[in-house]
Amino acid sequence: MPARTLPTFTRAQVESHNSKKSCYVTIGSKVFDVTDFAADHPGGADLVFDYAGRDIEDILKDPTSHPHSDAAYEVLDDSIVGFVISEKAAAANGNGKANGNGNGAAKQLDGFCPIDAKDDPDVHPRTGMKCEEDLSKDTDYNTDYSRHKFLDLSRPLFPQIWFGGFSKEFYLDQVHRPRHYKGGASAPLFGNFLEPLSKTPWWLIPTVWLPAVGYGLYLASEAYDNQLWTLAYWLSGLLIWTIVEYGLHRFLFHLDYYLPDNRVGITLHFLLHGIHHYLPMDKYRLVMPPTLFILLATPFWYLAHIIIPYSWHAATAVYCGAIFGYVCYDLTHYFLHHQNLPLWYKELKKYHLAHHFLDYELGFGVTSKFWDTIFGTELQYRVKAN
């Protein structure tokens, strides 16, 4: 599935696509490739090619020629390939050019500013995000809802998702456009007695799971006179967690392409991970509630003992190592969003925020980029020097 982060074009680049073989038009800042659509245009292909490389916003609204319907704009939306930026902004990308390559694919995420830069001129065209302060700007509920017709942040979100009748395509596009609830508080999810159950403070994770890990290791260690065996199995579990973390994030939390196009699939996706991408700075929906983690972790308990049938103690030590890795993952995830961190973590923070605000279909590693590099999903972006 192609990345949803679209390239940028200068006006000159758009104007160069002015032939029957490559016909681009713009409406405001949006760039559309209408080459294939031209043959299906009700007014004939020649009328489309007459405006190749030009802006068509006025002509679409012209009552004399033909005011176009909402359906016409929906057809155009299927052909969007990028956004127009000024020559000045293009030059600021570091190579003097916009990143449009003429085929609608974003090869590299140029211009993503570092989270500590205060004067970067680039604003990402889809999310509108720029620097760290933009991540905490309150969303205007009324304006956002009237524009996108998605979710009203002033009302409980769960019934809106369940009864909204959203298509999968529309839902995925909207849920990955980050919003920010006023003051960084939690938006209402259920709006009733279930509301407290949907929130988990970060400190609950080590409080619940570290004692369990410690007790499990104690039981596992009883089988060995040399505790290096216990340590070896525990470290093995910690290593296994890193690939589990990557796999869960990529193939479960971002099951976007295979998501059922119905309200059950969309609602489950929203509750599991979609709400985090929709409201990524919500402090109480950043870590996994213990009840949900028990559901996800239970199969792995049995899997560990199936893989290591010769020793209950060894399997338990491996499992404890994996659970410890999960605790590190959840705490890292929280701190990447909400804390100032040492230098190495600052780079990791930029990487994870790029996953949210540039391209959610890449950059699945949270505690490290290792498996992204191995499996070719590393998110690359150009950070300009201050």
Side-chain angles (χ1 to χ4, degrees):
M1 186 175 181
R4 289 181 176 272
T5 302
L6 298 176
T8 52
F9 300 84
T10 64
R11 178 58 63 182
Q13 286 176 318
V14 174
E15 291 173 352
S16 69
H17 292 271
N18 59 1
S19 68
K20 293 182 179 181
K21 293 183 178 180
S22 181
C23 178
Y24 283 13
V25 296
T26 63
I27 299 179
S29 64
K30 295 181 178 180
V31 181
F32 304 89
D33 182 352
V34 294
T35 310
D36 295 332
F37 166 73
D40 299 322
H41 184 246
D46 288 341
L47 188 59
V48 175
F49 293 135
D50 284 344
Y51 288 88
R54 298 164 57 185
D55 189 88
I56 61 172
E57 185 168 13
D58 291 339
I59 194 65
L60 290 181
K61 296 177 180 179
D62 186 354
T64 303
S65 62
H66 174 54
H68 287 67
S69 65
D70 290 341
Y73 287 96
E74 291 174 3
V75 170
L76 274 174
D77 282 341
D78 292 334
S79 303
I80 188 169
V81 293
F83 300 87
V84 176
I85 59 172
S86 67
E87 296 286 350
K88 180 179 179 181
N93 276 349
N95 59 2
K97 298 180 181 179
N99 62 17
N101 54 17
N103 62 7
K107 299 299 184 185
Q108 185 171 346
L109 302 173
D110 296 335
F112 177 65
C113 71
I115 59 171
D116 53 354
K118 303 300 181 183
D119 55 356
D120 192 287
D122 292 335
V123 175
H124 188 255
R126 182 174 63 82
T127 65
M129 294 294 168
K130 181 181 177 184
C131 293
E132 186 173 19
E133 60 267 25
D134 289 338
L135 311 186
S136 57
K137 288 182 179 178
D138 293 348
T139 298
D140 185 318
Y141 306 163
N142 294 328
T143 301
D144 182 70
Y145 183 71
S146 63
R147 178 183 179 186
H148 296 289
K149 299 297 188 294
F150 183 48
L151 299 179
D152 182 351
L153 283 169
S154 66
R155 299 187 293 118
L157 301 178
F158 176 81
Q160 295 183 72
I161 285 287
W162 182 254
F163 295 109
F166 305 122
S167 69
K168 180 177 77 171
E169 182 181 8
F170 175 78
Y171 163 77
L172 289 175
D173 178 66
Q174 288 297 317
V175 84
H176 291 104
R177 295 173 182 261
R179 275 78 163 182
H180 189 268
Y181 194 69
K182 56 185 178 183
S186 296
L189 181 59
F190 298 107
N192 55 29
F193 67 94
L194 293 174
E195 193 69 25
L197 299 178
S198 71
K199 301 175 183 178
T200 308
W202 70 268
W203 51 262
L204 189 63
I205 302 306
T207 300
V208 170
W209 297 117
L210 287 184
V213 168
Y215 181 64
L217 276 176
Y218 168 73
L219 295 178
S221 67
E222 292 181 328
Y224 304 104
D225 293 330
N226 186 345
Q227 294 308 313
L228 287 177
W229 283 106
T230 306
L231 178 62
Y233 282 120
W234 183 83
L235 289 175
S236 298
L238 188 60
L239 178 62
I240 290 170
W241 165 256
T242 64
I243 186 64
V244 171
E245 170 194 316
Y246 175 86
L248 287 175
H249 194 186
R250 180 179 179 182
F251 298 111
L252 179 62
F253 297 165
H254 283 277
L255 190 71
D256 301 339
Y257 183 72
Y258 299 100
L259 186 67
D261 195 357
N262 57 51
R263 67 178 180 180
V264 174
I266 287 172
T267 301
L268 288 176
H269 181 278
F270 185 76
L271 293 177
L272 184 63
H273 197 61
I275 190 172
H276 172 55
H277 273 258
Y278 184 64
L279 296 163
M281 304 308 286
D282 185 337
K283 291 183 178 181
Y284 295 102
R285 296 191 177 111
L286 264 171
V287 296
M288 192 175 296
T291 49
L292 177 58
F293 182 69
I294 288 173
L295 292 176
L296 294 177
T298 299
F300 288 99
W301 166 263
Y302 293 104
L303 181 62
H305 287 78
I306 291 173
I307 294 175
I308 312 176
Y310 57 85
S311 172
W312 182 93
H313 297 85
T316 299
V318 168
Y319 188 76
C320 287
I323 298 300
F324 181 80
Y326 154 72
V327 173
C328 294
Y329 154 79
D330 244 358
L331 295 185
T332 299
H333 190 207
Y334 179 87
F335 293 138
L336 291 180
H337 279 267
H338 285 289
Q339 297 294 325
N340 291 321
L341 301 164
L343 182 61
W344 184 82
Y345 273 98
K346 284 183 181 295
E347 294 303 315
L348 197 59
K349 180 171 186 174
K350 293 173 186 176
Y351 186 74
H352 184 63
L353 293 184
H355 167 74
H356 277 280
F357 300 107
L358 285 182
D359 193 345
Y360 65 89
E361 293 180 319
L362 294 172
F364 300 106
V366 174
T367 55
S368 97
K369 298 188 288 187
F370 178 77
W371 293 111
D372 278 319
T373 303
I374 296 297
F375 292 114
T377 56
E378 184 175 356
L379 201 164
Q380 298 180 359
Y381 53 91
R382 187 168 300 166
V383 177
K384 295 184 287 296
N386 292 330

